[in-house]
Amino acid sequence: MKKLISFYAGLLALAAWTGHAQAQPEYDQVEKGRYLAVVGDCTACHTTDAAKPFAGGFRIDTPFGALLGANITPDVETGIGKWTFDDFQRAMSEGIGHGGKRLYGAMPFTAYTKMSREDNQALWAYLQTLQPIYHPVETNQLPFPFNIRTSLIAWNWLNFTKGVYTPDPTQSAEWNRGAYLVEGPGHCGTCHTPKNLLGGDKNDNFLQGNSLGAWWAPDITNNAHTGIGAWSEEDLIAYLRTGVNRFDIASGPMAEEVEHSSQHWHDADLKAVAVYLKAGKASTDKAPAALAADDSRMVAGKAIYFDRCSACHNSSGTGEANIFPRLADNPLIRAPNAASLINVVLAGSRAGATDSRPTAPAMPSFAWNLDDAQVANVLTYIRNSWGNAAAPVNADDVKEMRKTLRP
């Protein structure tokens, strides 16, 4: 009897060990998928209510109208509960979802196509672990004729190249990892690459800056005047990890990206991205001549700056490290599009709070006590002082931004 009990005990132990051995890879795959969801910042477009993660509904304004982020929980009626992995793989690699439904480019399958099938399997495994949430979302809010999805056949033909990322054998493994993250799951070009008239990426100008309506996603090539040419790898890592470096403090959509995504990336991945970006070519934008100090706009802007701005940013534009951004000799100040600067002056700004910097610095709104001409003049002064040189800001642009921000 004792031998029989011992035999069954051995079988149970073996079964338990075998079950653990089989479950471990599944856990690892789900955890890998969770990390990829963070790298891709999926919550940005698919979560509107923190109590209903990934249930969709986030509004994405495009030049053609509005789209809403889809419900990607495994809810059978309103989410992806009826999808198979093959459906998901096709959506990620071809922009075609369940039932042959074509997806708009706001879902960045043009970047996700570079993701490996293995990574997509991990991401799919993670999504299956989410709580199914019933939340109907009509993703297509576009007016006619843009709401006709068959038009996307032509759009894809003009703007989409299918294909998994192929490592460059002439580059290091670290560089290739950075390229994969930037071009694939991180989809950095979706915001930072300029768009053509149809909303497709101008890939010949990859990462050279792009208008996001009320914001400007800056040039993140190695251009010393408007890009990250003066940033070191350490500067890039600090910015992505904390939202702060010696040049800038993240605001707007980038602050959200740092808060929800890049601060949680593995150290090795942040380093790989920095290596890749710093090894890239610079955009060809040239530095213009700075406006003369006696230009009437400069004179008016200087007076406003010393009255309203210098207390925080200092008389020489050097700011205060980690609290108030540096304005002097700052490529982000010199961007060809001043939308972000106008936005921040009118609406104010609060940096994203990160684990390493939980107290987010803030800037107040000046919309209430500076008119359009005053905002234009003070920004023109800042953009042409202390080593900066950029086109003057037009009061009409400030007026339009004020209208955009009013709702």
Side-chain angles (χ1 to χ4, degrees):
M1 187 67 177
K2 288 183 179 180
K3 288 184 178 180
L4 185 62
I5 293 173
S6 178
F7 173 74
Y8 280 117
L11 285 179
L12 289 172
L14 178 62
W17 180 87
T18 304
H20 174 75
Q22 291 175 343
Q24 187 63 36
E26 181 180 349
Y27 171 83
D28 290 344
Q29 185 183 49
V30 170
E31 174 57 22
K32 179 180 180 180
R34 184 204 64 77
Y35 177 68
L36 286 166
V38 171
V39 169
D41 198 11
C42 299
T43 188
C45 292
H46 295 284
T47 300
T48 51
D49 181 352
K52 299 178 179 180
F54 300 103
F58 180 81
R59 181 185 175 96
I60 304 166
D61 289 306
T62 79
F64 311 100
L67 294 165
L68 301 184
N71 182 343
I72 57 171
T73 73
D75 181 68
V76 173
E77 293 185 56
T78 65
I80 59 173
K82 293 181 180 179
W83 288 40
T84 65
F85 169 70
D86 287 337
D87 290 331
F88 182 71
Q89 172 65 26
R90 196 178 185 198
M92 296 290 282
S93 64
E94 300 180 43
I96 301 175
H98 180 69
K101 186 176 183 179
R102 291 186 174 272
L103 307 180
Y104 287 93
M107 188 283 195
F109 63 88
T110 52
Y112 293 158
T113 189
K114 297 190 175 185
M115 291 179 63
S116 68
R117 185 178 181 88
E118 179 185 357
D119 278 358
N120 285 334
Q121 286 173 327
L123 184 54
W124 173 253
Y126 168 67
L127 293 177
Q128 301 315 295
T129 69
L130 298 177
Q131 176 68 36
I133 298 174
Y134 179 83
H135 185 214
V137 176
E138 179 52 56
T139 57
N140 189 348
Q141 303 285 320
L142 301 177
F144 180 83
F146 305 115
N147 62 337
I148 306 301
R149 289 184 183 267
T150 52
S151 66
L152 294 173
I153 297 173
W155 190 94
N156 284 2
W157 183 74
L158 293 169
N159 297 292
F160 173 55
T161 301
K162 178 185 174 182
V164 176
Y165 175 77
T166 302
D168 183 343
T170 68
Q171 299 287 350
S172 67
E174 187 172 49
W175 183 96
N176 275 292
R177 175 63 176 172
Y180 177 74
L181 291 167
V182 169
E183 298 176 20
H187 63 283
C188 302
T190 300
C191 289
H192 290 276
T193 296
K195 305 296 183 275
N196 60 32
L197 292 176
L198 296 176
D201 289 341
K202 293 182 178 179
N203 289 316
D204 289 342
N205 304 109
F206 186 57
L207 303 181
Q208 293 183 17
N210 176 49
S211 174
L212 298 177
W215 296 94
W216 172 255
D219 180 350
I220 54 173
T221 72
N222 273 310
N223 186 302
H225 185 70
T226 59
I228 59 169
W231 292 29
S232 66
E233 290 179 7
E234 290 71 26
D235 290 327
L236 277 166
I237 293 169
Y239 186 80
L240 293 171
R241 172 69 74 205
T242 70
V244 177
N245 68 13
R246 60 194 172 110
F247 291 98
D248 194 37
I249 297 177
S251 60
M254 192 61 202
E256 295 174 6
E257 193 282 335
V258 172
E259 186 170 357
H260 298 299
S261 180
S262 62
Q263 72 156 321
H264 303 294
W265 289 27
H266 299 155
D267 290 343
D269 282 346
L270 290 179
K271 178 65 168 17
V273 166
V275 167
Y276 170 71
L277 290 177
K278 288 303 298 177
K281 294 181 179 179
S283 62
T284 57
D285 288 346
K286 304 296 183 183
L291 292 183
D294 59 357
D295 183 291
S296 61
R297 294 163 293 185
M298 293 286 287
V299 173
K302 181 178 181 179
I304 297 168
Y305 179 84
F306 277 85
D307 183 46
R308 307 294 174 85
C309 314
S310 62
C312 293
H313 294 284
N314 294 330
S315 59
S316 56
T318 55
E320 293 293 338
N322 303 325
I323 301 176
F324 304 121
R326 174 190 178 93
L327 306 178
D329 194 20
N330 188 332
L332 298 174
I333 297 297
R334 302 187 291 252
N337 184 313
S340 293
L341 302 178
I342 298 171
N343 188 331
V344 167
V345 171
L346 290 178
S349 178
R350 178 175 291 278
T354 60
D355 292 344
S356 57
R357 296 189 182 278
T359 303
M363 174 173 165
S365 163
F366 287 91
W368 67 280
N369 64 355
L370 291 179
D371 63 28
D372 296 340
Q374 288 173 317
V375 172
N377 286 336
V378 71
L379 287 177
T380 295
Y381 171 74
I382 292 169
R383 281 162 60 82
N384 289 276
S385 299
W386 321 299
N388 294 326
V393 177
N394 192 301
D396 287 341
D397 292 335
V398 180
K399 181 179 180 179
E400 288 304 309
M401 180 66 74
R402 205 182 285 269
K403 289 179 182 177
T404 298
L405 297 175
R406 191 167 292 138

